[in-house]
Amino acid sequence: MQSSNTLENPAVHLPPKRRRHSYKAQIAVVGLLLVLAALTAWLSTRTHIVDLATEQQLSDSGLLQDWAEGAVIVMIRHAERCDSAPGPCLDDPSGITVSGSQAATRVGQGLHELSLDTADLYSSPKLRTRQTAHFILGQPVPNASWLERCDSRFAEEAIARKRPGHNLVLVTHNGCIDHFQRSLNVPGGERESGYASALFVSVASNGKARILGRLNEPDWQRVLATIGR
């Protein structure tokens, strides 16, 4: 008789070991859900770099309006280094290549199209950055030692020198730009800056910075028509 009851209602006599396994499975599922929630929250704090190479991306970024308002910091990595490239040097081996000077000139055409009338311009004292700044801007540019230190205070230093209503153009190094991006939680795989590439950052009146995107040197010619409209 007892055996019959067990078959008719097996849940009443569920073995304790099976109940324990079910409980552990529920705990595992809850734990997995918590991990996924934490990962999602962490990913939401990441800042991803937008490529400004197309008209749509350039428009969506708000760069043109922010630039017109003098609310932008642009950090430009120096052009191709002579000591790490096969091309002929411009002159001094510690400077940039001839090809690098031509690339810097193309970047300068784009910046002048944006307008540098209300821009403050600074360069790292290194020869490669000074040469790059010369070909980009076509005028003497003050040097600033903090633009070659590339430490954890770089972002703070840059924002502190941003004057209201004046864009700030900084010709600097990959390491310095990397530190700025770190301060805004850009993932490691997106922080590398190519030669003569430009990272645009909008700075609000309260000093809060927001990355607008990056424009690589070969893409300037593609967007010049958009800028000139």
Side-chain angles (χ1 to χ4, degrees):
M1 183 67 67
Q2 183 177 354
S3 175
S4 176
N5 289 340
T6 301
L7 292 175
E8 292 175 1
N9 192 8
V12 174
H13 300 282
L14 184 68
K17 186 175 181 179
R18 185 173 175 184
R19 288 199 299 269
R20 286 198 300 270
H21 286 173
S22 177
Y23 178 72
K24 288 180 179 179
Q26 292 175 11
I27 293 296
V29 170
V30 171
L32 178 60
L33 291 175
L34 290 174
V35 169
L36 290 175
L39 179 61
T40 301
W42 179 78
L43 289 174
S44 69
T45 67
R46 304 285 88 184
T47 299
H48 296 285
I49 302 297
V50 175
D51 185 354
L52 302 176
T54 70
E55 180 178 347
Q56 186 63 52
Q57 290 162 325
L58 191 66
S59 175
D60 291 346
S61 72
L63 169 60
L64 300 184
Q65 179 178 346
D66 286 350
W67 188 274
E69 295 173 357
V72 175
I73 297 176
V74 55
M75 287 159 278
I76 304 170
R77 185 186 178 188
H78 59 78
E80 184 180 62
R81 293 176 58 149
C82 185
D83 59 6
S84 61
C89 298
L90 187 63
D91 44 45
D92 192 304
S94 65
I96 62 177
T97 63
V98 172
S99 176
S101 70
Q102 295 167 347
T105 297
R106 291 191 289 271
V107 173
Q109 291 171 349
L111 287 178
H112 280 91
E113 191 67 37
L114 281 171
S115 178
L116 295 172
D117 291 344
T118 61
D120 296 323
L121 318 171
Y122 294 96
S123 166
S124 157
K126 295 287 188 183
L127 178 60
R128 58 184 178 271
T129 44
R130 288 190 285 112
Q131 288 180 334
T132 301
H134 170 77
F135 282 95
I136 287 177
L137 303 168
Q139 64 186 73
V141 177
N143 299 330
S145 60
W146 62 275
L147 281 170
E148 66 173 330
R149 287 200 291 268
C150 300
D151 56 24
S152 59
R153 297 187 64 243
F154 180 82
E156 179 184 342
E157 296 254 23
I159 293 173
R161 287 165 173 77
K162 168 70 179 64
R163 294 195 296 159
H166 290 253
N167 296 310
L168 180 60
V169 181
L170 305 175
V171 183
T172 183
H173 306 271
N174 182 51
C176 289
I177 300 171
D178 179 87
H179 273 292
F180 198 106
Q181 293 174 110
R182 284 173 186 265
S183 73
L184 294 179
N185 299 316
V186 176
E190 299 182 37
R191 293 201 300 264
E192 179 68 24
S193 297
Y195 287 131
S197 65
L199 182 74
F200 292 90
V201 178
S202 178
V203 181
S205 58
N206 61 1
K208 185 176 179 59
R210 177 175 61 89
I211 293 178
L212 300 173
R214 179 186 292 123
L215 193 57
N216 294 313
E217 180 274 318
D219 298 320
W220 274 99
Q221 294 298 318
R222 189 185 307 170
V223 300
L224 277 176
T226 301
I227 295 173
R229 290 176 187 172

